[in-house]
Every structure is written in C-alpha cells, then in structure tokens.
Amino acid sequence: MQTKDNERQWQKYQSHGDVDDTRLIEGIAGEKNIYRRRIDADPWSNNIHEKPNRLKLVVDVSGSMYRFNGYDGRLDRQLEAVVMVMEAFEGYEKKIVFDIVGHSGEGWEIPFVNVGNCPKNEKERFEIIRMMHAHSQFCWAGDSTVKAAREACSTLGAEVDYDNGIVVLLSDANLARYAISSKDLAEALSGSQPKVKGYVIFIGSFAEEAKKIRNEMPVGQSYVCLDLTKLPQILQQIFASSIL
C-alpha cells in the first residue's frame, strides 16, 4: 500500500500556496512565484528524501574593515548583510543549514554562529554583530582571506549530511597590501570538493580594486556589492547557480 507521501507531491513556482523554503532568496529579491502546492503524484515515481543545503558564511573581521569603515561604510554594510541573512533563514534550519565564521589577521575560522545554534531574536542577532565589530576593532593586523576560503570549502566537503555546500566569503578587497593575487583566491574557492561551490562578495574597495579582482576571477565566482540593496539579487544568483 502506498503512503500519502507517495500519493502526493509538491509543485513549485506557484503564485500562492505554502512558501517554498528553497526559494527564500528569490522572495527577498521580490519574486512572486515562491510558493508551492500539493498535487497528485506520479504513482511510478520514487519518494526521494531531500537533504538540506549547507551554507557557510565567512565574514571579514580584519582590522581594515574597522579602520576604513569611515571611508566607505564597509563594516556597517557587512553587519547589515549578516543580519539580513540571519533573518532570512530563521525558522528554515531544516532546509538551509548555515554557520558563520570570520577571518582576520588573528585567524581564518573565528566562530560567530555555530550549526544548530542560530540566533532566535533581535537580542541574539545584535550580540553576534557586536562581537564582529569588536573583533575588527581590536584584532591584530594581517590577512587570512585565502586560508579562510580554502578551509571553508574543505570543511564543507568533508560533511556528508547535505546535498549542496555553498561557501560565501565576504571581503573588503584589501588583498594587494598582502601580495594576494586574484588567482590565489580563485583557486582557494574552487578547491577540490565537487559538491562545494565557493564565492566571494567584495563589500568594500579602494578605488576600482574590487572590480579589478572580480574581472580577473572566473565569471560568476566573485561579486562587488557596495550597495546593500543589491545583496539579495547577488545571493539569488549564487543560490541559483549552486543548487540544481
């Protein structure tokens, strides 16, 4: 006898119904067809259990973020972006499992939000961004961008409980000072893990440095976001190209 799960299935891209958990980013970006409805399933189809998708957000908490925040608001922009991500995925941990780590001159995997311990209210989210701000203000000089990218991709590649692994690295593009090339960063984000895709979003820049790095990296691997209103569209592109 077939179970009810086998008798009915979800139809996506609907204009009404239940919110489709896998299209949260599209909803943030303003898309309307982000709902799904139950329909009669093909009796010959298999009931396949989908694993959650895995996101690791790697934020830039280096000293330059705090030092040059007055120049272009890069640290403020990043903190707002982090809050946006935490709010967007709240309550959807079974569909999108994420954690947040930081990179600076003092380390490449500084923990801020652990898997399974996502902030549940404004007070907890404020505490997360307060810690990020404080670290950037008082940390030692230095850069571990490439190390952070490589380790994040490697860590996700070793996990087995997820269908897709996505690494999103935030950076202020202050790479030339530490003799880091765009090739170094691209290779670190590419890694050797087939189920993991890595991306970088530059949220700060001196002159055209961020755009120069982006143009030297593979198409679709890097983005420049100096206007926070464009972040949902960028995340939408990243998820669309990562989750098949």
Side-chain angles (χ1 to χ4, degrees), residues 220-238:
Q221 190 181 48
S222 62
Y223 301 84
V224 177
C225 183
L226 304 183
D227 178 357
L228 196 62
T229 62
K230 296 181 180 179
L231 183 63
Q233 287 79 12
I234 292 175
L235 291 176
Q236 180 181 357
Q237 292 179 49
I238 288 175

Side-chain angles (χ1 to χ4, degrees), residues 14 21 30 39 41 45 48 61 65 72 82 117 124 135 148 161 169 175 177 196-197 216 227 235:
Q14 303 298 299
D21 305 338
I39 62 171
S45 64
I48 301 175
V61 287
M65 289 289 290
D72 61 3
V82 169
N117 191 30
E124 293 182 2
H135 183 96
D161 297 329
L169 175 79
L175 304 182
R177 177 183 178 186
V196 178
K197 294 186 178 181
E216 293 174 349
D227 178 357
L235 291 176

